[in-house]
Amino acid sequence: MRTRPITLLSLAHACVDVYQGAVASLVPFLVAERAYTYAAVSGVVLAASLLSSVVQPLFGALADRRPVPWLLPVSVVVGGLGVACAGIGRSYPLTLVAVAVSGIGVAAYHPEAARAARLVSGGSHTAMGWFSLGGNVGFATAPLLVAVVVGTGGLARSPLLVLPALAGAVLCAMALRRARVTGGATAREAAGRDDWASFAKLSGAIVCRSIVFVGLSAFIGLYARQRTGGGELSGTIALFVLYVGGAAGTVAGGWLASRFGRIAVVRWSYALTVASVAGVVFVPGPLLYLFVAGTSAGLYVPFSLHVTLGQDYLPRRMGTASGITLGLTVSIGGLAAPVLGGLADATSLHTALLPLIALPAIGWLLLSTLDEPG
């Protein structure tokens, strides 16, 4: 009875997170067609993240006050329309506005969807892993979708990118109908005591993870072309590998957490990320893809565990916890993208990526002080 709503929410999650991955996937085409600088395309990534980082906790607080299920299909459509309009015209300000609107749509979706998924799944780590898997699949398919649509016809074809949003809206409506039948999505009360100190440390670690992920998402396509000597395809492959590792990593995270505990698994993942990012930065040639895969695993294995840990540290505010762990802390990585872009313009892309090695180490230090929630 609980499986089908989770499946539908997971598929809808894939449809909405296509638009998070699509913004980074558009970067090489914006550079090629509009001659944007590194700083300019970093601004595009920032526009998609900035408003999202601010408003997502607000949507989470709204979800804690009262159910807002109608927001799910509406937010998916808004997210799709923003990206679909990003390729229309050549105006840089209008491009920023379009991706910002998409970011708001994505922000509105996640807190209510994560709250509903946790409730209808009965708190299962594995079920939440499948829900998160949907979002990661959306991320992974974004480079391929953009390559097929924009790569074959230019940015003028970007309106076709709205199609996943329409499918996602239908899936959300189906999930909500089923959830009302089971009663899972309307449960409101959660017992327990909020542990804000532990939640703050967890959030700090997620911020470190976010900066690494957003920085690599924005520049790995361009960096892979430099390090491998390939063309646009080599960059698309690198971005695809970075995203597709989330499919196995997220499901593995739930399984590993059931055996070894969430905190232990999250710590191991951050340690793996340190070594893998170092390989991405320093190892040239085709071996770069191996380290991109390792980075993907290190970044994605703890993804769903971040969400459930945050919800368990703040059991009375699951919507707020979801909004922060899925929104504010993740989106804040976009704030670092212009800094990395400016550093790349002033020095080199290789130099700009060096700080990404230290950040997961800082995250590991923060996690080392945490205990499993009661």
Side-chain angles (χ1 to χ4, degrees):
M1 293 291 288
R2 293 196 298 260
T3 300
R4 190 175 178 186
I6 280 292
T7 302
L8 294 172
L9 287 171
S10 178
L11 292 172
H13 198 184
C15 292
V16 75
D17 274 8
V18 160
Y19 300 109
Q20 293 202 73
V23 174
S25 302
L26 287 171
V27 165
F29 299 100
L30 292 171
V31 172
E33 289 193 30
R34 300 181 181 177
Y36 285 174
T37 64
Y38 290 138
V41 293
S42 297
V44 173
V45 176
L46 173 62
S49 303
L50 182 58
L51 285 179
S52 179
S53 67
V54 173
V55 303
Q56 198 154 169
L58 300 179
F59 284 114
L62 176 63
D64 286 332
R65 292 172 62 88
R66 64 176 183 175
V68 282
W70 56 267
L71 195 58
L72 297 185
V74 171
S75 61
V76 176
V77 173
V78 171
L81 285 174
V83 167
C85 294
I88 299 176
R90 301 185 63 87
S91 169
Y92 183 70
L94 289 180
T95 300
L96 296 180
V97 170
V99 297
V101 168
S102 177
I104 293 175
V106 171
Y109 173 83
H110 283 96
E112 177 65 20
R115 183 197 63 82
R118 182 69 185 271
L119 293 174
V120 301
S121 69
S124 167
H125 300 322
T126 303
M128 286 299 292
W130 284 107
F131 169 72
S132 298
L133 171 64
N136 297 335
V137 169
F139 263 106
T141 56
L144 302 181
L145 177 66
V146 171
V148 169
V149 175
V150 179
T152 58
L155 291 169
R157 285 194 177 182
S158 66
L160 293 175
L161 296 175
V162 76
L163 294 178
L166 301 180
V170 173
L171 289 166
C172 285
M174 295 170 61
L176 293 172
R177 186 180 304 114
R178 182 61 176 172
R180 281 198 296 270
V181 172
T182 63
T186 59
R188 297 304 304 158
E189 296 298 326
R193 180 179 180 182
D194 293 336
D195 183 356
W196 284 100
S198 295
F199 183 77
K201 294 176 183 178
L202 174 69
S203 299
I206 301 173
V207 167
C208 294
R209 182 257 184 206
S210 171
I211 295 173
V212 174
F213 181 75
V214 173
L216 289 178
S217 296
F219 298 114
I220 191 64
L222 298 171
Y223 191 65
R225 291 164 63 178
Q226 294 178 7
R227 301 293 281 180
T228 64
E232 289 186 0
L233 180 60
S234 64
T236 299
I237 292 173
L239 193 60
F240 176 74
V241 171
L242 179 66
Y243 289 167
V244 78
T250 304
V251 175
W255 179 79
L256 289 170
S258 298
R259 297 195 63 182
F260 303 107
R262 288 175 293 180
I263 294 295
V265 173
V266 171
R267 288 173 185 162
W268 297 342
S269 300
Y270 276 64
L272 172 63
T273 304
V274 175
S276 298
V277 174
V280 170
V281 174
F282 290 111
V283 177
L287 279 177
L288 175 139
Y289 296 111
L290 176 63
F291 289 102
V292 173
T295 300
S296 179
L299 292 173
Y300 275 113
V301 163
F303 188 79
S304 66
L305 306 182
H306 289 153
V307 179
T308 59
L309 281 169
Q311 291 174 333
D312 286 344
Y313 283 134
L314 301 183
R316 294 182 179 274
R317 295 174 175 83
M318 284 202 300
T320 299
S322 301
I324 294 175
T325 55
L326 282 171
L328 181 61
T329 52
V330 174
S331 300
I332 204 170
L335 300 176
V339 177
L340 295 176
L343 181 59
D345 285 332
T347 56
S348 68
L349 195 51
H350 174 81
T351 301
L353 296 181
L354 288 174
L356 301 186
I357 301 172
L359 286 168
I362 297 172
W364 182 89
L365 290 173
L366 289 170
L367 293 167
S368 67
T369 64
L370 291 181
D371 297 318
E372 188 76 24

